[in-house]
Amino acid sequence: MKRRGDLFSTLVSIDNLRRAHQNARKGKTHYYAVKLVDADPDYYLRELQEELVSGTFATSPYTTKVIYEPKERTIYKLPYYPDRIVHHAVMQVMQPIWDRQFIHDLYSAIPGKGLHAGSYRLRQFLKDANRTRYCLKFDISKFYPSIRPDKMFEIVQRTVKDSRVLNLLRDIIYSSPDVGVPIGNYLSQYFSNLYLTPFDHWLKEKMRARYYIRYCDDGVILHQDKGWLQNLMHKIEEFFDTLGLRLNPKTSIFPVDRCGVDFLGYRTFRTHTILRKSSARRLKKKVREIEQNYLTMSPDAILGSLGAYHGWLKHCDCHNFARKYLYENPAIRTAVEYATELKGIKCPNWLEAPSSPTRSAST
C-alpha cells in the first residue's frame, strides 16, 4: 500500500477550501454561519487557510443531541465554520486515496453505492443457490464508541505520510469528548470504513469469503457450509479483539431459504424482496400521522417523508402494500395535493402514476 505525501498544499489551497464551502453549505443555506461565510467568503476562507497553514486550527467543541429513531443514539455536531468546511476539504483530497483501499462490496458512504446498491448486490449473490445456503449476519456492538483513536490513526498512517495532513487528521480523530469516534461527524462514516478495511481484506483474501457485503458495521457472509461459517464467526471474534470491537449478541447463522436475509432495510429472498417489518411499521405510522395532521404539518415534511418512502418502495416487490398505503390512498393524495399547492409546485410523478409497479428483485 503506497503512502501519499505532498497533500497538504492541495488540501489548504484556496480553490479546495472554496469547493469545500460550496459542498458543505448544500441544504444548509438558512444557517446563520453559512450566511456569514457567504457574505464574505474570501475573508473567511483566507482566515481559515491561515489557521491551517500556521497549524493553529483545532477542532471546535461539540454540541450533542439524542435521537430515538431507529434506536437511541447521541449525535455529535460541530460548527459549520470552520470545522465542517475543513472536513469537506479533507475529504476532497483524501477520498480518492481512501476509496482505492476498500473492497468492492463495501457500500456505506461511498459515492455511487449506498443501501440500494448493496441490496441489489445481495440479490445477485442469492442467485447462486448452491453456494449461499447459509448466512452469517453480523453487526458490531456500540461500534462508533468502540473505535480506538490510536488504532484509527495507525490505519490512517498506512495511506498518508504528509506530516501536516497527519497532524490535522490526528486532531480530528482524537477530538471526541467521549470514547471512540463521534456519530454525526462528517468524517466519522469514512473513518468507520477505514477502520474495518484490514478486516475486509483479511476476510476476502485470507478466509476466502466470496459472498460478503458490508455496510458500515453491518455485514452478511453467505456460504454453502454452516460449519464453515460457525468456525469463521469465532475467527472474526478473535480479529475484532485486536481492534477493540465486539460482535453484537444478535449475530446469527441461519438457512437462507427458511426466512430470507434481513439486511439494509429489506428482507431479501431468492425470488423477491420486501420491506423489513420494522420499516413497514414506520411507514404505516408515518402515513397515519400525515392522514390525521397534514393541515398542521409543513409541506416539506409531508413531501419529504412520503418521497423517502417512495424511494424505498420502488426498489422492492411490495406493490399491493405500496398501493394501499401510498399510491392509491385517497387521504395521502389529498395531503400531497395540499402540500404541493402551498409550495406552488406540481404533484410528484409517483402520485401521478399510482399503478406503476415497484421494481422487482431481478432488475
Side-chain angles (χ1 to χ4, degrees):
M1 186 184 298
K2 184 178 179 181
R3 298 174 69 215
R4 294 290 302 272
D6 303 320
L7 298 169
F8 189 73
S9 59
T10 303
L11 195 156
V12 302
S13 68
I14 201 67
D15 286 342
N16 191 51
L17 294 178
R18 283 198 185 100
R19 188 156 62 95
H21 168 52
Q22 291 304 315
N23 288 329
R25 71 191 288 277
K26 290 176 181 177
K28 300 177 178 67
T29 53
H30 58 289
Y31 285 22
Y32 172 77
V34 176
K35 292 179 181 178
L36 198 66
V37 178
D38 281 345
D40 194 350
D42 286 343
Y43 169 76
Y44 285 103
L45 296 179
R46 292 288 179 189
E47 285 286 303
L48 176 53
Q49 184 186 48
E50 176 57 31
E51 283 188 42
L52 291 167
V53 171
S54 66
T56 57
F57 170 82
T59 299
S60 304
Y62 288 87
T63 57
T64 62
K65 68 174 182 178
V66 178
I67 64 170
Y68 299 94
E69 289 289 344
K71 60 184 178 182
E72 184 175 340
R73 293 182 296 174
T74 300
I75 304 298
Y76 296 78
K77 187 177 178 182
L78 285 169
Y80 176 81
Y81 182 87
D83 299 86
R84 295 197 207 179
I85 296 176
V86 168
H87 287 202
H88 277 267
V90 168
M91 279 295 294
Q92 287 161 189
V93 173
M94 294 306 307
Q95 183 182 325
I97 297 169
W98 287 339
D99 282 357
R100 286 194 287 272
Q101 316 305 319
F102 300 149
I103 62 169
H104 175 76
D105 288 314
L106 172 64
Y107 287 90
S108 49
I110 299 174
K113 291 195 172 180
L115 291 162
H116 299 308
S119 174
Y120 281 111
R121 182 65 163 167
L122 174 60
R123 300 173 210 191
Q124 182 181 354
F125 284 174
L126 292 181
K127 291 177 181 178
D128 186 351
N130 289 332
R131 287 185 283 189
T132 59
R133 293 174 59 209
Y134 294 93
C135 176
L136 192 170
K137 180 174 179 287
F138 71 87
D139 69 67
I140 299 168
S141 182
K142 296 180 171 40
F143 177 50
Y144 283 96
S146 299
I147 292 176
R148 289 170 40 190
D150 60 328
K151 195 70 177 179
M152 182 75 256
F153 187 62
E154 177 189 319
I155 292 169
V156 166
Q157 284 179 297
R158 297 176 191 174
T159 58
V160 181
K161 64 180 179 182
D162 188 311
S163 60
R164 290 185 293 179
V165 173
L166 285 173
N167 287 337
L168 177 58
L169 289 171
R170 182 191 291 111
D171 176 79
I172 295 169
I173 289 168
Y174 281 89
S175 67
S176 175
D178 301 308
V179 294
V181 168
I183 301 174
N185 195 326
Y186 179 65
L187 286 171
S188 289
Q189 199 162 25
Y190 244 74
F191 284 156
S192 76
N193 284 348
L194 280 170
Y195 198 69
L196 289 178
T197 290
F199 166 73
D200 293 336
H201 285 283
W202 168 81
L203 197 55
K204 294 287 290 183
E205 295 155 19
K206 185 172 181 180
M207 303 311 299
R208 314 298 291 178
R210 178 176 182 177
Y211 292 127
Y212 165 54
I213 298 172
R214 180 166 71 85
Y215 188 95
C216 194
D217 61 328
D218 294 320
V220 292
I221 306 164
L222 300 157
H223 199 268
Q224 69 266 28
D225 186 344
K226 183 178 181 180
W228 187 87
L229 287 174
Q230 289 170 332
N231 184 52
L232 178 64
M233 187 167 73
H234 295 309
K235 292 181 177 180
I236 289 172
E237 289 174 325
E238 292 172 1
F239 194 103
F240 280 173
D241 279 342
T242 68
L243 297 173
L245 303 176
R246 184 169 56 87
L247 283 175
N248 190 307
K250 292 188 288 187
T251 295
S252 61
I253 298 170
F254 52 88
V256 169
D257 290 330
R258 187 187 68 194
C259 54
V261 181
D262 187 344
F263 188 57
L264 301 180
Y266 298 104
R267 185 174 291 276
T268 303
F269 298 86
R270 298 195 192 278
T271 58
H272 62 285
T273 299
I274 59 176
L275 273 185
R276 171 185 285 164
K277 285 184 179 180
S278 59
S279 300
R281 283 197 298 269
R282 283 196 294 272
L283 184 150
K284 288 188 277 189
K285 180 179 178 182
K286 177 57 68 174
V287 164
R288 285 195 297 271
E289 178 188 346
I290 292 172
E291 288 173 340
Q292 296 168 8
N293 303 303
Y294 73 90
L295 291 174
T296 59
M297 296 175 67
S298 74
D300 288 336
I302 295 169
L303 298 174
S305 295
L306 296 176
Y309 280 117
H310 164 67
W312 280 96
L313 289 166
K314 72 180 182 180
H315 291 286
C316 66
D317 304 287
C318 292
H319 185 44
N320 291 334
F321 179 87
R323 289 173 59 195
K324 177 178 179 180
Y325 288 99
L326 213 61
Y327 306 135
E328 296 181 7
N329 180 337
I332 289 300
R333 175 174 287 274
T334 299
V336 171
E337 289 173 347
Y338 167 80
T340 53
E341 184 177 349
L342 283 182
K343 287 181 67 68
I345 60 174
K346 296 173 68 174
C347 277
N349 291 335
W350 57 260
L351 192 67
E352 294 297 332
S355 297
S356 59
T358 51
R359 189 173 300 183
S360 72
S362 61
T363 302

